[in-house]
Structure formats: C-alpha cells, structure tokens
Amino acid sequence: MSFVSHKGGCHCGAVRFEVDAPADLDVTECNCSICSKSGYLHLIVPKSRFRLLSGEDNLETYTFDTHEAKHLFCRKCGIKSFYILRSHPDGISVNVRCLDDSTITSINITPFDGRNWEANIDQLTPLSDD
Ligand SMILES: [Zn+2]
C-alpha cells in the first residue's frame, strides 16, 4: 500500500501534525458518547506513522469511564485533532475532519457501534505497519 503524508491540526493552528496514510482513506465513525458529540471520524494508525509537528504544550488530556483513552485537545481552541485510543493503545487516532483536504482523494466511512464497545471491539482491524 502506498502512503501520502497528510497534514492536519486543530482549529487555531497551534497543534499541527503529519500522518502517513493512503490518499483513499478508510475511516471509522463511532457512535459512542464522546465521538457522537464531537462528530469525530477516526483514522487509526500505528504511532510510527504519526508525527506531532507543533503544539505539544497546548495539549490538554481528558479521560472518563475506564480512563484508558487519552482524549487530547487544544487548550486554546478546544479541538481534538488526534488522540490515543482505548482499542489501540499503541496507535493514534487522527480526526479526518482535521486533515487538510488537499492530499485526500476519497473518504470511505464505516460505522462502528462504540455504544456497545465490549461486544463490537473485535470488528476493528488490528494495527499493522504495512
Ligand atoms: Zn487550537
């Protein structure tokens, strides 16, 4: 699979990152309590394909319930542009809505029933580096 470098970040521009992923993106739309309220679209990648370019000092962490997921948001503008998932603690979830669209060819959205997380988590593909 060939990757392009997508750039993205928060709304105010303090947090910027790069993520290596295909130009045709397969993303996950989760209906759990936090994803549905924020309209988050997940692109889940290994940490090795994610680089934080700026804004580390602007990141605030929010956790709830099991406190396994680390919801990182910009303390200035409040936007969660990426975070660390409960399902893939070795990975990063990038919010596709926060990517610059110039490098994206298409977005294919697959729903995930995160309201019933324990029953459905096996449906998410494990991370691989290829
Ligand atoms: Zn910001």
Side-chain angles (χ1 to χ4, degrees):
M1 199 183 287
S2 69
F3 292 146
V4 297
S5 270
H6 300 283
K7 283 199 166 67
C10 69
H11 187 262
C12 73
V15 177
R16 293 291 294 168
F17 57 78
E18 242 172 20
V19 58
D20 300 327
D24 294 294
L25 293 172
D26 281 313
V27 308
T28 304
E29 183 172 35
C30 176
N31 66 358
C32 84
S33 61
I34 191 162
C35 293
S36 59
K37 288 199 177 197
S38 59
Y40 198 100
L41 284 182
H42 299 261
L43 170 67
I44 301 171
V45 299
K47 276 182 181 156
S48 57
R49 281 165 46 195
F50 177 88
R51 294 172 296 283
L52 184 61
L53 302 175
S54 67
E56 192 162 10
D57 294 346
N58 289 67
L59 292 172
E60 201 76 58
T61 304
Y62 170 67
T63 67
F64 65 98
D65 193 12
T66 65
H67 302 280
E68 289 170 80
K70 307 297 177 202
H71 299 275
L72 302 167
F73 62 94
C74 172
R75 75 176 69 180
K76 192 170 170 194
C77 67
I79 294 298
K80 181 173 83 169
S81 52
F82 72 94
Y83 79 109
I84 298 165
L85 304 106
R86 176 183 175 195
S87 58
H88 305 77
D90 297 329
I92 295 277
S93 170
V94 168
N95 187 353
V96 168
R97 297 193 195 276
C98 293
L99 291 179
D100 304 346
D101 54 14
S102 59
T103 51
I104 299 173
T105 305
S106 68
I107 298 176
N108 177 42
I109 297 175
T110 303
F112 173 71
D113 185 7
R115 285 183 199 180
N116 301 295
W117 197 92
E118 278 79 7
N120 292 301
I121 190 57
D122 292 345
Q123 294 169 11
L124 285 187
T125 316
L127 287 174
S128 74
D129 272 309
D130 19 288

